[in-house]
């Protein structure tokens, strides 16, 4: 059985506490659908969707293969770049936040099918990181895909 001394435990825990308390996360609230287009991802037919924040400071992009979109059954998910057929990123004039396999990141998109009352919509939640290791939390209400 391996035991750690109090000093060794403190050396492991204190840097983690400093990282989590000293860094402030960016919060991005997506409110508008800007449009979509077709393209390619991993040599497959893909769809790209563009959203932005109310103040238009941030623009976020969803890219997914058509095959993954059909297989995902209304829920797109990528945790630490585990899904090669779905990507999500956000950018402003000065920052670019993305999924990473070096940091705990994720993106989840719920696709709500249209009915007689409401058009098709997406609900987005994500935790992304920039190259400096700064975190951004992205969220939205149900954003209509009707422009």
């Amino acid at each position: 059985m391996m035991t750690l001394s109090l000093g060794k435990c403190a050396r492991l825990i204190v840097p983690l506490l400093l990282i989590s308390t000293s860094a402030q996360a960016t919060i991005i609230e997506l409110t508008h659908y800007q449009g979509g287009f077709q393209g390619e991802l991993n040599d497959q037919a893909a769809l790209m969707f563009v959203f932005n924040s109310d103040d238009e400071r941030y623009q976020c992009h969803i890219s997914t293969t058509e095959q993954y979109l059909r297989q995902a059954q209304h829920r797109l998910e990528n945790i630490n770049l585990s899904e090669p057929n779905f990507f999500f990123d956000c950018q402003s004039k000065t920052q670019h936040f993305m999924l990473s396999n070096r940091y705990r990141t994720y993106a989840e998109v719920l696709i709500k099918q249209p009915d007689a009352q409401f058009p098709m919509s997406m609900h987005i939640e994500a935790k992304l990181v920039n190259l400096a290791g700064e975190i951004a939390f992205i969220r939205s209400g149900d954003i209509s895909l009707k422009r």
Side-chain angles (χ1 to χ4, degrees), residues 16-36:
L16 292 176
L17 293 174
L18 292 175
I19 290 170
S20 63
T21 58
S22 63
Q24 286 196 349
T26 299
I27 307 294
I28 302 170
E29 184 77 35
L30 299 178
T31 54
H32 299 292
Y33 173 61
Q34 294 301 306

Side-chain angles (χ1 to χ4, degrees), residues 51-135:
F51 298 88
N52 68 354
S53 57
D54 220 12
D55 59 4
E56 298 185 6
R57 182 175 172 200
Y58 289 96
Q59 187 175 71
C60 299
H61 312 93
I62 293 171
S63 301
T64 183
T65 62
E66 290 180 16
Q67 181 180 6
Y68 179 68
L69 186 62
R70 283 190 300 274
Q71 290 174 345
Q73 298 183 0
H74 312 296
R75 182 177 179 217
L76 309 176
E77 186 176 59
N78 194 336
I79 300 170
N80 296 337
L81 289 175
S82 62
E83 177 51 62
N85 296 306
F86 165 52
F87 290 102
F88 183 78
D89 71 326
C90 294
Q91 64 189 38
S92 70
K93 289 181 181 178
T94 60
Q95 295 180 318
H96 183 217
F97 293 101
M98 66 204 103
L99 292 163
S100 170
N101 59 5
R102 292 185 59 207
Y103 297 89
R104 289 181 173 245
T105 59
Y106 72 91
E108 180 180 41
V109 177
L110 299 176
I111 303 166
K112 299 188 177 181
Q113 295 300 312
D115 60 27
Q117 305 295 323
F118 300 99
M120 181 181 276
S121 65
M122 288 186 176
H123 180 89
I124 301 164
E125 289 190 26
K127 177 183 175 187
L128 306 177
V129 66
N130 66 15
L131 291 176
E134 299 165 338
I135 298 294

